[in-house]
């Protein structure tokens, strides 16, 4: 498959007390192919959202490269980065806080077009109308304020806003976790339909393995800022090789009693990502255990 995003050796460290550093993302390398959904999973604090912010260049990486559609954006200035922002947009976890409560939904969806000076006022209005229909809302919904929508409808407005500039990549950071289960299904169905119709690539950040198994093509498992397993959906879910991946799957609740896994979880706290001055985590080395299935070596 043709790569849209190529991340190589991506690292992000944050300063901490007494010269220590928080190693939020450490030496991550991965690829997002065109028309593909790459899911990134792991427990809270593993670096999923930081990785998403780095790929979107909301944060500047400490080191490493982020190549989007053939251009390395990791060190571009804001002015040079601006045209590349049209290629990638983000859908956040909480649709209510993502929208200005004082502005109508139609204005929120039109904002990216105005900011990037796309089209005339008339053409933008028509574009917004078509975007509302695309995400299965009516054109009349353009006049509503955020509080007049349900949670699922608000997230549809946020998806419409993300699509306004016709991006190639959508980064969805826990985009359905704040929604009711029944609403999650309809929003996921919409995202899959949009991917088929528009040829979108998704970086799908989630802690919900059932959703990841439903929507992803490939899965990257993160632990303490590093990718410990990467493979196709079937490889990771049917043949998990890394101990941490197995623990994640064992911990996931499964409603069907015939599919439940035996829980063999061990206690203990997750190690801290804070490293004292002059120290750093050891970079994992991956083995390709099957074509396209990479697993970090364990001691």
């Amino acid at each position: 498959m043709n790569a849209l995003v190529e991340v190589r050796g991506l690292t992000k460290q944050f300063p901490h007390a007494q010269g220590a550093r928080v190693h939020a993302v450490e030496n991550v390398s991965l690829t997002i192919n065109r028309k593909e959904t790459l899911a990134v999973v792991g427990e809270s604090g593993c670096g999923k959202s930081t990785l998403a912010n780095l790929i979107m260049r909301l944060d500047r990486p400490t080191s490493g490269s982020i190549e989007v559609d053939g251009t390395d954006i990791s060190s571009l200035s804001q002015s040079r980065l601006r045209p590349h922002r049209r290629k990638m947009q983000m859908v956040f976890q909480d649709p209510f806080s993502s929208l200005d409560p004082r502005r109508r939904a139609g204005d929120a969806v039109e904002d990216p077009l105005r900011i990037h000076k796309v089209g005339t006022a008339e053409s933008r209005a028509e574009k917004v109308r078509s975007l509302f229909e695309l995400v299965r809302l009516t054109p009349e919904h353009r006049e509503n304020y955020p509080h007049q929508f349900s949670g699922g409808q608000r997230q549809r407005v946020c998806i419409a806003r993300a699509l306004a500039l016709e991006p190639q990549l959508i980064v969805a950071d826990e985009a359905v976790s704040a929604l009711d289960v029944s609403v999650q299904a309809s929003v996921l169905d919409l995202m899959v339909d949009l991917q088929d119709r528009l040829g979108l690539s998704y970086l799908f950040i989630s802690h919900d393995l059932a959703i990841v198994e439903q929507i992803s093509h490939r899965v990257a498992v993160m632990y303490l800022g590093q990718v410990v397993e990467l493979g196709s959906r079937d490889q990771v879910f049917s043949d998990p090789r890394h101990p941490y991946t197995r623990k994640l799957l064992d911990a996931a609740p499964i409603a069907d009693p015939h599919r439940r896994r035996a829980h063999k979880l061990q206690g203990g706290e997750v190690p801290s990502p804070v490293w004292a001055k002059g120290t750093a985590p050891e970079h994992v080395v991956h083995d390709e255990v099957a074509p396209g299935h990479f697993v970090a070596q364990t001691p």
Side-chain angles (χ1 to χ4, degrees):
M1 295 181 72
N2 190 12
L4 174 64
V5 178
E6 293 189 79
V7 172
R8 296 288 177 264
L10 196 61
T11 295
K12 180 61 178 180
Q13 301 170 5
F14 296 97
H16 196 61
Q18 299 179 336
R21 310 285 291 180
V22 178
H23 290 250
V25 172
E26 189 70 23
N27 197 41
V28 168
S29 297
L30 51 80
T31 299
I32 306 171
N33 295 310
R34 298 179 191 275
K35 304 180 182 180
E36 175 190 56
T37 299
L38 174 66
V40 179
V41 302
E43 58 197 314
S44 296
C46 72
K48 304 187 302 295
S49 292
T50 302
L51 175 63
N53 290 339
L54 290 171
I55 291 175
M56 287 293 298
R57 266 299 310 272
L58 299 177
D59 280 331
R60 185 184 288 270
T62 304
S63 61
S65 65
I66 309 158
E67 193 171 291
V68 178
D69 199 22
T71 300
D72 186 352
I73 66 168
S74 57
S75 58
L76 292 182
S77 65
Q78 290 299 318
S79 60
R80 294 179 61 197
L81 181 63
R82 185 181 178 89
H84 296 283
R85 290 205 180 279
R86 295 182 59 170
K87 300 176 183 178
M88 49 187 185
Q89 294 293 309
M90 199 162 190
V91 179
F92 295 94
Q93 177 176 358
D94 183 1
F96 194 77
S97 62
S98 298
L99 298 169
D100 187 337
R102 301 164 296 182
R103 306 188 70 228
R104 298 181 190 274
D107 293 330
V109 174
E110 188 181 352
D111 277 343
L113 299 170
R114 278 196 296 261
I115 291 169
H116 286 266
K117 300 178 181 179
V118 176
T120 63
E122 292 77 14
S123 66
R124 289 196 297 266
E126 182 57 35
K127 177 72 171 180
V128 171
R129 179 186 179 91
S130 66
L131 286 167
F132 271 74
E133 293 175 340
L134 185 63
V135 298
R136 304 173 189 173
L137 294 172
T138 67
E140 290 73 27
H141 280 122
R142 293 174 298 172
E143 302 302 316
N144 287 10
Y145 289 94
H147 73 272
Q148 294 176 294
F149 291 104
S150 67
Q153 288 175 325
R154 279 193 291 268
Q155 196 62 296
R156 290 171 189 269
V157 172
C158 293
I159 292 172
R161 180 178 58 185
L163 294 174
L165 296 172
E166 301 180 3
Q168 298 169 274
L169 172 70
I170 296 290
V171 176
D173 190 359
E174 300 282 7
V176 297
S177 64
L179 306 177
D180 293 338
V181 174
S182 59
V183 180
Q184 285 182 356
S186 65
V187 173
L188 289 172
D189 177 69
L190 171 65
M191 293 180 68
V192 171
D193 179 60
L194 291 172
Q195 184 173 52
D196 291 338
R197 294 174 63 178
L198 305 177
L200 297 171
S201 298
Y202 289 130
L203 177 63
F204 193 84
I205 309 292
S206 182
H207 67 278
D208 191 322
L209 295 178
I211 290 175
V212 167
E213 189 173 14
Q214 176 184 345
I215 197 173
S216 65
H217 296 105
R218 290 189 301 132
V219 180
V221 181
M222 286 192 73
Y223 176 68
L224 287 177
Q226 302 195 63
V227 173
V228 296
E229 187 157 358
L230 174 66
S232 70
R233 172 181 56 198
D234 290 341
Q235 287 171 333
V236 172
F237 281 91
S238 300
D239 186 25
R241 297 293 188 93
H242 195 274
Y244 179 70
T245 307
R246 295 190 186 114
K247 288 181 180 180
L248 278 181
L249 293 173
D250 284 343
I254 299 176
D256 185 351
H258 300 292
R259 295 181 60 223
R260 287 177 186 161
R261 302 178 180 89
H263 288 258
K264 300 178 181 179
L265 302 179
Q266 298 178 355
E269 294 292 328
V270 176
S272 172
V274 179
W275 289 76
K277 185 176 181 180
T279 65
E282 182 178 351
H283 290 171
V284 298
V285 177
H286 296 90
D287 291 327
E288 189 170 11
V289 297
H293 190 184
F294 299 90
V295 181
Q297 295 176 2
T298 54

